[in-house]
């Protein structure tokens, strides 16, 4: 039995990272508005894998669809959400790329504005804390988003209220063109969080095991009533900020140096070394998943438009679901 | 009125465990201007009354998140001007969730805010126009204790974010009997005084002032109908239209900033509902387009007073014009 | 249009050392959607082009402070929806300074923001109603390159905070000749097409759409006058009133949210200026009161299109009604 | 020559603190809307004394009038501003208590919203930095205000741009009723600022000399291009948050313990010990200033109302000054 079927931790994560990469790369080909997440998979897979069903997931926008996949979302439906077509979970009303699976246990972005979802995540943690039961929230955000005022306010409030939440800074070293080490003055987000009374740790964000283990330690603390923690995961945005980013703000040497640390290749190597996979099997599996997701995304792209009628109100009572089923 | 609001919150919290109240000084202090009087003793131990740091965006942001996760938060934001710190989580996003998720997710959330000129001498701006511009956000503003109780119960029961505006000149006025059984719905205006010579539309402090003006007008033989909107969103334009159509003249009395606010939206909705022409003249009595001045005399001149309402009503009423 | 805006900023910066530009990615990157193209090379070394972290409140807050201290800041806020993060420094406070200090202190500040549906597929909300509600804040929105140049020069020269809205469907349209000598003032509308059968009022993308509609209408014998407001605050209601009074019918075409926004404020100002009754019918063509939907077909249905304008104009125009 | 006339540093500061206290206490008697600053004088006098004319002063609202006095404001005119009467510098348009002397070199509050003035101060610092010349900004804010998102954003931006600014956290241990050590999770504002790359120092906020010396060190750094610093000055709000505060949230023992550390008495004792003052002289001087300011404030209270016409626009061009003098 190879890593393709077995459920060693690393094998599971590797497959999740492959799935994320395959969806991501298909989107890069078919969607000019996509934000590529290549290179950062170890952060969001490590941070969001293996949680309980009643935990709340609040991913960073870059990687949000991958986290939905991790939770079992159907990639065809996810893709429909991204394209805003008829099968979109929102009926085409809203962007499935940054808000793939909004619900009581999944936080998305409800405008294009960064930072607020961290507050929503902490609010969910407050709700879980009041309900008891030991569930928690994982909230990821980018290095750039870390400088938003609402993030600072939320970290303080989460610490003051000892909320069951694990913050993950997915530091891909850039906010579009601005380097994180310029924009984030001082010694970085872990030091900031510590100053707020939040236990923090620095991890290699290209090592899925390291991210996962840090998450587990933080999760144990949160479930035991020990309050919030922060994980600073350093990784690299291997692609541009968006499609057709001229990338004049960084050198190709830098990009190449980080390409050599691709978290997928790294996990695959570890599996091969552990005898759970041969290089050929790995390559074949990846090819297959890339092809499968290419197929799904290409099909989704050509789907029927939403064609939903425009409602004459944004109030909850005017939405179809509530009109049909009464108050939820 | 303040006690009626607190009673509504207390009754709702006793009924429903998922409600919590967060705000600055809402704990042992009892709330700014007694806005949480007695709640700490009843619900504090259960962790349902949360004293907050000065972090308004996160207060509202966490409330939006808690609401999506199953809680029914009430945030006491203290003063309406602080709403300007919360527009992204509250209005741009929180108010869009029901629409954007096609009803899969809702944000049942009440944000309380004091506003208006009053004994506090500061923090008077109500920023209502700012709030009204966002789809999906409800806004209630009671002018008396019974409405306050009913509107607060309705706001807490609602599936949408609701801003609940508490006028500082009304909060600690004369004691009123509270009818907790009144069926008050959001978006429903109330005729506070019937009349046939003209319609005066108002909210908050402008309601008692308009009622006083109506009594003066009655002495001069002009019977004004006074409509209290009670909610700015949804805005009960049907009620206003029916009344003004019947009386033949409309006077809108408004305390908040005059541009792109309640007065403008009221006339726009009337026009939309009437095929583009109105069969009655419309007069607006409201402050000049400036911030509220601080000096007591300037403030008094800025906000429509009873005499100004009487005068404007006389000028607006066809009944007066005819007898002239 | 984008190049005209950048040219206006570049020309002004060359003239006046006290101007700086702050924004995310305005440096070597060249600005989001090329909004600062070439400025880094010209002014970067002098420290006048400042790449900012994601801290919109502080970007605008520092700009307000710098303006009070003698600078003339330009903040590129990228997208208009981010304005919701800046309402306290920009609108509640920055726009009140001239009034509150009795003119001792002013805040000459320009905040740029992209908005509107367009190739970007996101960040389309313009939040204009929110902005319009605040006294003391000017709002400009060009519909073409020459106006864009002139309005930006006027905005930079102004002593008040000015929000400069850049419609994403117009920024990178067909190349236009730019008349840098045009005297464009804030608060002054422009008749973009004369006509006598009805008046169409619009801004931003709705202007070219209305002009296209007017050409179609002309084929059916209806001559529409098209007024481009160019500024939402101050709003040139005199120009609109004169035109509508002359043509006998008014159609307001608006892309932004319908409540308490430009359309409502326009009708309110017309009523205020006309003694409470209008001698022409008013029709408003605008989106439903919801966020902008994302799906391409829904978005197209949401925003007024040329055909809808033609239809609404025909229904609104007395000329058509007579010939029916 | 005693401390009453001489200009030893401590004597100067002591007189400034007496002036602040006298204005403050007179306001407590005559203005139900006043926010008493008793006990915190060493912070704002130490932080704002001895600056250059071209430096920008951005005090916390509690103490703002005292800082205006320090800059030479006429107390009668200041009082008129507080009461909003005819002689108010703003013509009664705006609150003189929290915005006593707004101008290019003095930052006030332009609504009742806390936090923004810290950003305005940093903006002024950016303006000064661009102009060159070695001037700087001192920006004070309360412990409660420190939790506002815009303050966090501003500290980061100031550090990133190395602005010439000295931040002073006037920690009087409460934000109305909420204790600073509860609301400010973690190890306090100095640690927070350090994590943002801002050199920070803790000082005894009831020791005017300590505050001043910390300010001087920070100012020297700023003038030399060394960027921002932060001073965390621990003091105590001896009075209520506002007049008639029931103060149910703290014990009278706590209040008394801090009363014993009154910064004025402390400075006076030091002057007596240094032989610059006798206790009698001190007492007499204080009595006199209290009486003088009582007179000024009592008179201001009964002044004519503003009676200014209401303008029909808030735009700069419609204000009297600009209409009279053209563009400034
Ligand atoms: C409040 C806000 N400001 C600016 C933007 C524009 N923007 C979109 S993505 C981005 C970069 C975000 O950086 P980071 O948080 O590090 O995430 P990354 O893109 O690197 O994944 C920016 C500035 C935004 N979406 N929201
Ligand atoms: C943004 C904002 N939120 C809340 C308030 C209400 N408020 C006025 S003073 C105050 C306490 C401020 O605490 P701190 O900053 O420590 O200053 P202090 O009053 O102790 O001098 C509060 C909460 C406000 N003015 N602004
Ligand atoms: Mg990043
Ligand atoms: Mg304090």
């Amino acid at each position: 039995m190879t890593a393709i079927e077995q459920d060693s931790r690393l094998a599971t994560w590797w497959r999740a990272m492959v799935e994320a990469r395959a969806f991501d790369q298909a989107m890069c080909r078919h969607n000019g508005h996509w934000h590529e997440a290549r290179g950062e998979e170890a952060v969001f897979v490590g941070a969001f894998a293996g949680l309980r069903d009643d935990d709340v997931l609040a991913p960073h926008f870059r990687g949000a669809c991958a986290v939905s996949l991790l939770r079992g979302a159907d990639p065809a439906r996810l893709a429909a959400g991204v394209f805003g077509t008829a099968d979109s979970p929102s009926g085409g009303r809203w962007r499935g790329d940054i808000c793939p699976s909004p619900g009581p246990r999944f936080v998305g972005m409800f405008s294009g504005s960064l930072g607020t979802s961290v507050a929503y995540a902490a609010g969910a943690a407050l709700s879980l804390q009041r309900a008891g039961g030991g569930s928690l929230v994982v909230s990821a955000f980018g290095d750039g988003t870390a400088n938003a005022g609402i993030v600072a306010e939320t970290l303080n409030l989460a610490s003051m209220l000892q909320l069951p939440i694990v913050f993950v800074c997915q530091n891909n070293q850039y906010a579009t063109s601005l380097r994180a080490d310029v924009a984030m003055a001082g010694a970085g987000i872990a030091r900031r969080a510590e100053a707020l009374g939040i236990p923090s740790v620095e991890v290699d964000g290209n090592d899925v095991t390291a991210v996962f283990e840090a998450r587990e330690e933080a999760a144990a603390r949160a479930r035991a009533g020990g309050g919030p923690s922060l994980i600073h995961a350093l990784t690299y945005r291997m692609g541009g900020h968006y499609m057709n980013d001229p990338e004049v703000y960084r050198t190709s040497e830098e990009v190449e140096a980080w390409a050599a640390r691709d978290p997928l290749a790294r996990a695959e190597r570890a599996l091969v070394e552990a005898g759970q996979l041969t290089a050929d099997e790995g390559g074949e599996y990846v090819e297959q998943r890339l092809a499968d997701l290419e197929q799904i995304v290409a099909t989704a792209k050509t789907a029927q438009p939403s064609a939903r009628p425009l409602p004459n109100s944004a109030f909850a009572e005017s939405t179809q679901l509530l009109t049909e089923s009464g108050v939820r | 009125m303040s006690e009626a609001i607190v009673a509504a919150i207390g009754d709702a919290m006793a009924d429903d465990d998922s409600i919590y109240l967060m705000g600055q000084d809402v704990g042992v202090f009892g709330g700014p201007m007694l806005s949480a009087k007695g709640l700490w003793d009843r619900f504090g131990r259960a962790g349902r009354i949360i004293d907050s740091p000065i972090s308004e965006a996160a207060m509202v942001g966490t409330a939006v998140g808690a609401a999506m996760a199953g809680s029914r938060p009430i945030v006491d934001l203290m003063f309406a001007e602080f709403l300007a710190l919360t527009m992204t989580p509250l209005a741009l996003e929180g108010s869009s969730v029901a629409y954007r998720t096609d009803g899969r997710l809702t944000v049942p959330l009440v944000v309380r805010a004091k506003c208006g000129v009053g004994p506090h001498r500061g923090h008077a701006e109500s920023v209502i126009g700012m709030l009204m511009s966002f789809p999906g956000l409800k806004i209630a503003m009671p002018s008396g204790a019974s409405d306050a109780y009913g509107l607060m119960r309705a706001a807490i029961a609602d599936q949408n974010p609701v801003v609940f505006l508490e006028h500082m000149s009304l909060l600690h006025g004369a004691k009123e009997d509270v009818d907790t059984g009144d069926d008050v719905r959001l978006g429903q205006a109330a005729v506070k005084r019937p009349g046939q010579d003209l319609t005066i539309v108002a909210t908050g402090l402008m309601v008692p002032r308009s009622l006083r003006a109506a009594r003066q007008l009655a002495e001069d033989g002009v019977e004004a109908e006074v409509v209290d909107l009670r909610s700015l969103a949804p805005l009960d334009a049907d009620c206003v239209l029916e009344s003004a159509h019947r009386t033949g003249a409309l006077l809108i009395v408004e305390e908040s900033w005059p541009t792109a606010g309640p007065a403008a939206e009221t006339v726009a909705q009337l026009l939309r509902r009437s095929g583009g022409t109105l069969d009655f003249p419309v007069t607006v009595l409201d402050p000049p387009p400036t911030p509220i001045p601080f000096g007591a005399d300037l403030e008094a001149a800025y906000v429509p007073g009873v005499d100004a309402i009487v005068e404007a009503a006389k000028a607006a009423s066809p009944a007066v014009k005819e007898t002239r």
Side-chain angles (χ1 to χ4, degrees), chain A, chain B:
Chain A
M1 195 164 91
T2 74
I4 291 151
E5 298 101 35
Q6 76 171 12
D7 54 2
S8 84
R9 301 189 321 175
L10 186 58
T12 317
W13 301 329
W14 172 65
R15 288 198 302 267
M17 292 196 292
V18 171
E19 210 66 11
R21 174 77 54 97
F23 188 85
D24 182 71
Q25 292 304 300
M27 276 296 169
C28 286
R29 279 186 296 273
H30 292 288
N31 185 346
H33 304 288
W34 185 249
H35 293 86
E36 186 174 6
R38 186 166 45 98
E40 305 178 33
E41 293 90 347
V43 180
F44 43 79
V45 168
F48 290 97
L51 292 169
R52 287 170 25 179
D53 279 354
D54 57 353
D55 291 333
V56 174
L57 281 52
H60 180 48
F61 82 92
R62 201 182 295 277
C65 283
V67 174
S68 278
L69 290 171
L70 205 55
R71 260 264 152 115
D74 169 12
R77 207 158 149 74
L78 266 193
V82 174
F83 290 115
T85 47
D87 281 344
S88 156
S90 73
R93 288 190 179 172
W94 184 230
R95 293 173 61 174
D97 56 340
I98 62 177
C99 195
S101 315
R105 296 294 173 265
F106 196 106
V107 175
M109 283 178 76
F110 291 98
S111 79
S113 201
L114 289 165
T116 43
S117 59
V118 180
Y120 305 155
L126 176 57
S127 201
L128 297 180
Q129 181 188 51
R130 298 192 54 243
S135 50
L136 58 73
V137 180
V138 177
S139 163
F141 52 86
D143 50 282
T145 307
N147 289 316
I150 195 168
V151 174
E153 289 187 353
T154 299
L155 292 175
N156 182 57
L157 196 60
S159 180
M160 169 184 159
L161 300 176
Q162 288 291 289
L163 299 180
I165 186 165
V166 180
F167 296 107
V168 178
C169 181
Q170 179 173 331
N171 182 350
N172 62 7
Q173 307 194 34
Y174 287 90
T176 312
S177 70
L178 191 59
R179 292 188 60 85
D181 53 15
V182 172
M184 205 184 292
I189 184 75
R191 281 287 308 282
R192 288 188 191 186
E194 269 161 20
L196 294 159
I198 300 178
S200 301
V201 61
E202 313 263 359
V203 301
D204 178 346
N206 284 18
D207 178 351
V208 67
T209 307
V211 175
F212 180 85
E213 283 173 353
R215 205 286 314 282
E216 280 298 87
E217 194 186 320
R221 184 181 299 127
R223 295 199 204 283
S229 309
L230 184 137
I231 298 166
H232 177 205
L234 187 73
T235 181
Y236 193 76
R237 198 191 68 210
M238 287 170 63
H241 170 67
Y242 43 41
M243 309 316 297
N244 304 321
D245 181 345
E247 297 184 51
V248 289
Y249 48 84
R250 62 181 182 182
T251 64
S252 55
E253 289 74 30
E254 184 185 291
V255 176
E256 278 156 31
W258 280 92
R261 301 154 85 169
D262 185 327
L264 266 73
R266 185 159 160 182
E268 198 178 319
R269 269 198 309 276
L271 288 168
V272 170
E273 276 163 27
Q276 298 183 27
L277 191 74
T278 68
D280 284 353
E281 286 167 344
E284 224 169 89
Y285 178 77
V286 170
E287 283 308 308
Q288 187 58 50
R289 295 312 297 148
L290 285 171
D292 290 351
L293 272 298
E294 161 64 27
Q295 179 64 43
I296 290 168
V297 168
T299 307
K301 192 185 181 180
T302 62
Q304 293 297 313
S306 159
R308 292 280 305 279
L310 298 182
N312 202 29
S313 157
F315 294 125
E317 51 272 27
S318 70
T319 58
Q320 210 175 40
L321 230 76
L322 284 170
T323 320
E324 280 167 6
S325 65
V327 174
R328 95 182 153 144
Chain B
M1 190 166 89
S2 185
E3 287 175 5
I5 297 168
V6 176
I9 294 171
D11 290 354
M13 288 184 80
D15 285 355
D16 181 351
D17 242 19
S18 71
I19 301 170
Y20 72 81
L21 174 72
M22 184 186 278
Q24 288 153 29
D25 310 304
V26 294
V28 63
F29 188 73
M33 298 175 76
L34 305 176
S35 70
K37 194 179 168 191
L39 298 177
W40 176 254
D41 290 339
R42 289 176 69 189
F43 306 106
R45 202 158 338 164
R48 299 175 62 190
I49 308 290
I50 306 173
D51 257 325
S52 164
I54 301 177
S55 299
E56 282 76 9
M59 290 161 69
V60 169
T62 53
V64 168
M68 291 193 289
S71 292
R72 300 188 84 89
I74 303 173
V75 176
D76 187 340
L77 213 55
M78 199 173 312
F79 298 119
E81 59 179 349
F82 305 155
L83 285 161
L85 294 162
T86 71
M87 281 301 94
T88 302
L90 176 62
L92 181 68
E93 302 188 340
S95 302
S96 79
V97 168
Y99 173 82
R100 285 187 164 145
T101 62
D102 202 10
R104 277 188 174 69
L105 202 58
T106 58
V107 180
L109 160 65
V110 179
V111 178
R112 302 174 60 189
K114 287 178 259 298
C115 66
V117 300
H120 200 80
R121 305 286 302 111
H123 304 287
E125 309 292 10
S126 66
V127 296
I128 297 180
M130 173 185 79
L131 302 172
M132 289 181 74
S133 70
F134 288 91
L137 181 62
K138 295 192 176 178
I139 310 163
M141 189 179 196
S143 68
S146 290
D147 280 354
Y149 183 92
L151 285 169
M152 179 52 88
R153 291 303 298 256
I156 295 173
D158 206 88
Q159 288 300 110
N160 300 283
V162 182
V163 174
F164 192 90
L165 294 170
E166 310 177 10
H167 198 293
M168 287 191 274
S169 283
L170 302 174
L171 277 175
H172 301 281
K175 200 111 192 146
E176 289 171 85
D177 286 335
V178 176
D179 188 341
T180 60
D182 255 16
D183 178 32
V184 183
R185 279 181 289 144
L186 296 177
Q188 197 177 42
V191 175
K192 293 284 171 179
R193 180 190 197 278
Q196 67 281 348
D197 294 334
L198 87 158
T199 301
I200 303 180
V201 175
T203 40
L205 177 63
M206 295 300 101
V207 174
R209 289 197 178 171
S210 295
L211 288 170
R212 239 173 298 150
R215 286 193 290 275
Q216 284 191 27
L217 286 163
E219 290 170 17
D220 290 341
V222 178
E223 292 297 338
E225 178 146 313
V226 177
V227 175
D228 180 355
L229 286 176
R230 301 199 294 192
S231 298
L232 282 317
L235 193 156
D236 193 350
D238 288 333
C239 173
V240 178
L241 188 60
E242 186 282 321
S243 172
H245 178 69
R246 180 162 35 74
T247 62
L250 178 64
L251 171 63
I252 301 174
V253 181
E254 180 55 47
E255 176 177 353
S256 69
W257 293 327
T259 47
E265 181 58 17
T266 302
V267 300
Q269 290 208 20
L270 296 175
L271 271 168
R272 285 178 201 263
R273 273 174 172 66
S274 325
T277 40
L278 296 174
D279 58 0
F280 48 83
V282 181
T283 310
V284 180
L285 180 66
D286 57 357
T290 73
I292 303 179
F294 169 66
D297 66 316
L298 301 183
E299 183 190 271
Y302 178 89
V303 177
V306 175
D307 291 346
I309 300 173
V310 168
E311 203 177 306
K314 284 187 178 161
S317 164
V320 175
K321 281 184 191 142
E322 277 152 25
T323 62
R324 256 180 200 160

